[in-house]
Amino acid sequence: MRILLTGANGYVGKRLLPELLNNGHEVVCCVRDKNRLGLDATTLSKITVWEIDFLNEPNFNNLPKAFDVAFYLIHSMTSSTDKFDELETKAATNFNIYLNTIGVKQVIYLSGIVNQDYLSKHLKSRLNVEEILYEGNFKTTVLRAAIIVGSGSSSFEIIRDLCEKLPVMITPKWVLTKCQPIAIRDVIQYLIGVMLHDKCYDKSFDIGGPNIITYKQMMLLYAKTRKIRLWIFTIPVMTPKLSSYWLYFVTSTSYKLAINLVDSMRMEVVCNDNRLRNILNIKPISYVDAIKLAFLKIEQNLVISSWKDSLVSGRFKKELAGYVQVPTYGCLKDEKSIKVENIDKVLENIWSIGGEKGWYYGNWMWEIRGFMDKLVGGVGLQRGRTHANEIATGDSLDFWRVLLADKEEKRLLLFAEMRLPGEAWLEFRIDKNNVLHQIATFRPKGLFGRLYWYILVPFHYFIFGGMIRNIAKNT
């Protein structure tokens, strides 16, 4: 089949792509920025990339040819606290315009469970997108899921943060809300299973795992599976806003996502029926087994995708390419260099920076800076990194974003997503003379930006000096 995959660099899209290729399908990946696909050369050679932003006015130049199936995996919940529904409406409307012109037999949309009379803004928006897609000149199949459990999924990582960091929790009453979590492996099975399946045309299906449990039970089962102690006490006085702050400061979630999650977590998301499970003969994975499978991937360093690598988990509003050229005019810099002997080892050190490995010097100071960033609404250090020793362009790296990761060129370029009175880049590069260059560039905004830099100069002297020395070590 010829398949269009929107959201190809998103959490579900990255999991779905290899399965489609392994099944011999021709895949066109639809992304806003082709530099963010983060795929290896072998995979890139097997796909075609259509670079397009469905939020822009339709442009009918160089359209791809017709498709058999198109997956609609575009969501905007983390991009705005109050206007994400408008963005989702616009994207779906423009998608219809394009696909009606190009031609497609079936569109498959991954939505949310909407079985209550009262719906959160997030779930209302998902239902509205369904209705828009049903108006297209194609067959539509909607899969409605609750929480998706898998290594790197936002729901899994939030539960993981809470349970690992807080042995005792004072929680809001929405933790008693029921939901029906589903393993990411089952989601992929359902998405593939409904392709050109005539019994699934112009229908919406609930998909879920075998367990209907509360969020509190989800956390307790996580703790039991991980063999950690956990005590949860529920109180009725925690407002949605306080709950959002609680999630924001304790977990790696952004504040925008925290607000929208809390709003939705007050809604029961339980399947009304299991028709599709029977049609496709799928035996769903239990919640506990989904946790075990997620950690198997984490321990083997085989996490394919993470919600934290999405641009909307940070501060980016533009394409990465707009930041790759590091400015020189009006900038302040800290430049250090050192001769290295074992280039492969030094590159390994550079490619392992951040996350659990830390920043090679003064990690406690980095942690303080991360905490201060959280206090002013930044991303902090809690995003960590998806892989222990692999980096791809577009990945999040603590409170940095990877602009360029090229081992052949021996260069790593990062852009700061922390709250700053200016813009900051951090570059590591090994030249042809085996000299490691470490360059911190700051473009200040106004007088306060310059004052900020000069106040930190003494800290930079120790932090950056210690960092390059430790990176250059062979052991």
Side-chain angles (χ1 to χ4, degrees), residues 65-79:
K65 63 181 182 180
F67 299 97
D68 295 300
V69 173
F71 287 97
Y72 191 79
L73 304 176
I74 298 172
H75 304 299
S76 302
M77 188 173 74
T78 54
S79 62

Side-chain angles (χ1 to χ4, degrees), residues 154-172:
S154 58
S155 304
F156 173 79
E157 293 299 336
I158 288 171
I159 290 171
R160 182 183 178 189
D161 280 345
L162 290 172
C163 296
E164 301 281 353
K165 294 176 181 178
L166 296 176
V168 179
M169 291 189 215
I170 307 298
T171 61

Side-chain angles (χ1 to χ4, degrees), residues 250-353:
V250 175
T251 74
S252 55
T253 185
S254 66
Y255 182 65
K256 294 174 183 177
L257 180 58
I259 290 176
N260 293 322
L261 280 176
V262 168
D263 187 35
S264 293
M265 282 176 172
R266 294 180 294 166
M267 311 291 107
E268 275 197 5
V269 279
V270 176
C271 298
N272 266 354
D273 64 74
N274 297 306
R275 290 176 297 153
L276 191 58
R277 184 188 302 179
N278 298 327
I279 292 171
L280 301 182
N281 195 27
I282 290 176
K283 184 178 180 181
I285 299 169
S286 72
Y287 173 66
V288 169
D289 285 340
I291 293 172
K292 291 177 180 177
L293 288 169
F295 273 97
L296 185 62
K297 292 294 184 183
I298 293 169
E299 289 159 3
Q300 294 176 341
N301 198 25
L302 294 174
V303 180
I304 297 174
S305 61
S306 172
W307 79 273
K308 291 180 284 189
D309 291 330
S310 166
L311 287 186
V312 292
S313 74
R315 295 173 56 200
F316 263 89
K317 304 298 181 186
K318 304 177 184 177
E319 295 179 355
L320 297 181
Y323 295 87
V324 171
Q325 189 64 42
V326 182
T328 55
Y329 180 76
C331 293
L332 302 167
K333 293 193 176 188
D334 182 287
E335 299 186 48
K336 290 182 170 51
S337 60
I338 189 171
K339 183 83 172 182
V340 298
E341 298 177 3
N342 189 334
I343 294 177
D344 290 338
K345 179 60 181 176
V346 173
L347 281 174
E348 181 184 329
N349 289 341
I350 293 171
W351 253 248
S352 302
I353 199 167

Side-chain angles (χ1 to χ4, degrees), residues 173-190:
K173 61 182 180 181
W174 53 253
V175 298
L176 302 179
T177 304
K178 291 180 180 179
C179 63
Q180 194 167 348
I182 181 171
I184 182 61
R185 294 192 185 193
D186 288 340
V187 173
I188 300 302
Q189 274 198 81
Y190 279 115

Side-chain angles (χ1 to χ4, degrees), residues 67 92 109 125 174 226 240 264 331 343 389 436 452 475:
F67 299 97
Y109 172 48
S125 181
W174 53 253
R226 297 293 294 159
S264 293
C331 293
I343 294 177
N389 50 21
L436 169 63
Y452 169 86
T475 57

